[in-house]
Amino acid sequence: NIGGTYFVNNMAATVELLWSSIEASFYIYGACVYLLDILLCCSVPTVGFIALLIFILVHVGRIPPPDPAIVEEVLGLDPLLMERDDKKKDSKDGAYIMKSVGHRGAALDAPENSISAFRLAKSSGVTAVEFDVILTKDEVPIVFHDYTVDRVTEATGYISNMTWEELKQLDISEKHPMRHKFHGERIPLLEDVVKECLHLGLRMIIDLKGDDFRLIQVIRNLYKNHKEMYSRAVITSFNPLLIYLIRRGDSSIVGSLGWRPYLYSSLSYTGSEGPGPKRYKSLHSSFAAQFGDVINKWAYNNLYYHLLGLSVVLIHKDVITSEVIRSWKNRGIRVIPWTVNLPLEKQYFTRILKISYITDTLIGEVETKFP
């Protein structure tokens, strides 16, 4: 019973939120004492008041998640629930299951975020793709990942300093290992990519880059012009405020939030080596970023999902365990790891953890099936 399950999950989330609010008050309380070295809020009643205030603000400002039927239409049947539900298991044949998602189309097999990459994903049997959205200098929404064009073209410069007329001349295949097959590939417009994906029957995970709040209106216009998006797309970002403001205006949009360890303080992360190069050189900026990572990790696991009404979380593959999946699943939220490229990793996430994954390559996709 979807309605009954939703009610139980909602009640559990409310109780968990209350406790998380009390925890948050202690974080704030400790930060005030440590950073300001004052004793103005050193009483238990003050802590309780802060916890109550946070709870009220979060509960009042909370956005409900979309109808579970809409979420299932976008993400397909949940493999974990299929395993536990005999009725869904019996109806598995012919039902839509999002097994894998082509990252930027399939960035290792074709120029990333290109029309050719999305077509290749479809022809390879993939049913969903992920791509990035950023605005040009003249506020044209394009599908592109980086803030500069340096990595994938022979040109140099920031996207924010270049017009669409300038950018559409660039060849994004020039530095790709398969460039001989995709010579002349151009940066596509967001509108063209959405139309192509809808035409191909591909689900979309649309990643909003950076902190550009102009993208909010871009997404609203996109859903206004393409009603099919409600059952075909997920909007995601690493910025919770972007997702909050988008879903605040339209709670029927399926929302997601990306996360990895040390997001603010390091440029990269791997499970084997830990955080990569520091994002900031100055000591005070580095310290502030590390403090931001602590707060962001706590908020991601205890606050954002409830406040934003998330349906799915996109998490770095190296920190995903059965316990992580179970924790999110108990909240009614799916987990999708990124970026899973090795065949053995694909087998692990598909056969052992039984979750969908995001990948840069479509090699081995036929062999990795849910049991």
Side-chain angles (χ1 to χ4, degrees), residues 6 32 77 99 174-175 198 230 244 250 252 254 262 270 272 286-287 297 302 317 335 341 357 370:
Y6 177 76
C32 287
L77 295 177
K99 181 175 69 67
E174 290 177 326
K175 295 184 179 180
L198 290 174
Y230 288 101
Y244 181 83
D250 190 345
S252 295
V254 178
Y262 309 103
T270 62
S272 58
S286 182
F287 176 78
K297 181 179 180 180
N302 297 281
K317 67 181 180 67
V335 175
N341 292 331
Y357 58 82
F370 290 110

Side-chain angles (χ1 to χ4, degrees), residues 6 28 47 51 53 140 150 159 166 216 238 242 288 306 313 340:
Y6 177 76
I28 296 172
V47 175
L53 181 61
V140 176
D150 303 33
I159 295 290
E166 294 171 315
I216 296 171
F238 284 93
L242 268 178
H306 184 82
V313 289
V340 182

Side-chain angles (χ1 to χ4, degrees), residues 65-96:
D67 187 303
I70 294 178
V71 177
E72 187 170 287
E73 181 71 16
V74 178
L75 300 177
L77 295 177
D78 190 332
L80 278 177
L81 294 182
M82 283 176 57
E83 185 183 39
R84 301 169 189 166
D85 191 330
D86 290 336
K87 292 182 179 178
K88 287 193 174 182
K89 200 169 186 179
D90 292 340
S91 64
K92 182 167 124 178
D93 293 337
Y96 170 60

